[in-house]
Amino acid sequence: MDILTLMAAFLIIVGGIAALISKSAFNKLIMLGVLTAGAVMLFVKDGFLDAAIAVSLLMPVGTLFILFLLGKKKEVKHD
Amino acid sequence: MLEQLPYIAAATVICLVLFVVIDIIWKLPKKGGVSGAEAIANDIEASGGSKHGGYMIGNIITSPDASAGTLLAACGFFIYGVIGAVAAAVLVFIGARICADKGFAGLTGALAATAVIWACTTFLGFAPETFIAGIVLAILIVEGLSLKLSSKIIGKLWGKRT
Amino acid sequence: MIVEAICALAAVYAVIRIIFEKSTLKKLAYLNVLGFAVAGAIVLLLPHPITIGAAVAYFVGATLESNAIASTLAIGGEE
């Protein structure tokens, strides 16, 4: 077993569990970033470089949409 | 395997000095580039750190700076020699523009790191992958151990320059 | 071998610091350390010329995600 494969598995498992049990929405987003790091490492390990590039460029786009929705919710709550 | 350890320690010191000097030359500790960097600086100052050191750490977090240039130049040099390092420098420049950063710290850092890594591997016998471990350890020293202490040290260096 | 071990240990240390840190803005600093370690590990996994593009794409994506989260926290305040 390669040590970098173990590192990717650790990132995915710990990131997923911590995203499940954390309370704040921002902490959930940060933990999803940790999970995506492990997923990109597994893509690169098997040689799917195009999928790795696509996932790493689309990850911040999804984060931007979720942050936009969070801002909307906060505005509604303040009104 | 273990005989690479002194080379990795030397590469850590080289990378640390390189990116801190280039960031201070490009005046990163002066002010936050985007609003997120100022928020990080205020948070670090509220927990007992220095404000200018907080600005530099915030700028490193929110846009690719000389530290990112050093890492990606080391990666490019490990794969494809000088050509790969220069290609990584061009990609870092494009990435800095994507992150709304108007400076040239990333490009300068990548090109300077290319020159330093080329000199060290050609004349001093370093293996190229020692610089990847060196820059990871250097950023771990600056941002991973204690943000309060490292921001105070950077603020002191910035005060000495002005 | 020892270079891979250093990248893996740095990533594990960064994840543990992310989980046990209270302030959301300080978590972003440790997320940046994790990004450095993962970008180094991607290059060590598969030495191929396109891997440079994958490493740069992952790093810029992680930085853009941190930028978006920090900007949203700066505007809206931590809730």
Side-chain angles (χ1 to χ4, degrees), chain A residues 7 11 27 31 37 41 56 63, chain C residues 8 11 15 18 27 45 58 65:
Chain A
M7 169 184 157
L11 291 183
N27 293 347
M31 282 305 160
M41 282 184 66
S56 28
T63 306
Chain C
V15 170
I18 287 173
K27 285 186 186 203
L45 273 171
Y58 172 74
E65 191 181 357

Side-chain angles (χ1 to χ4, degrees), chain C residues 2-38:
Chain C
I2 189 156
V3 181
E4 283 95 334
I6 285 175
C7 284
L9 286 179
V12 171
Y13 173 78
V15 170
I16 292 172
R17 286 298 292 264
I18 287 173
I19 292 175
F20 290 105
E21 172 67 48
K22 293 285 192 301
S23 155
T24 306
L25 282 169
K26 286 209 189 71
K27 285 186 186 203
L28 293 175
Y30 303 123
L31 191 67
N32 198 16
V33 177
L34 178 72
F36 271 78
V38 171

Side-chain angles (χ1 to χ4, degrees), chain B residues 6-52:
Chain B
Y7 287 106
I8 289 176
T12 304
V13 176
I14 290 173
C15 292
L16 191 61
V17 171
L18 183 73
F19 86 79
V20 169
V21 164
I22 289 178
D23 277 352
I24 288 181
I25 285 176
W26 279 103
K27 297 183 177 165
L28 261 75
K30 193 177 176 188
K31 62 180 175 57
V34 293
S35 59
E38 293 181 5
I40 292 172
N42 290 331
D43 194 51
I44 288 176
E45 193 190 19
S47 67
S50 152
K51 185 141 184 113
H52 291 289

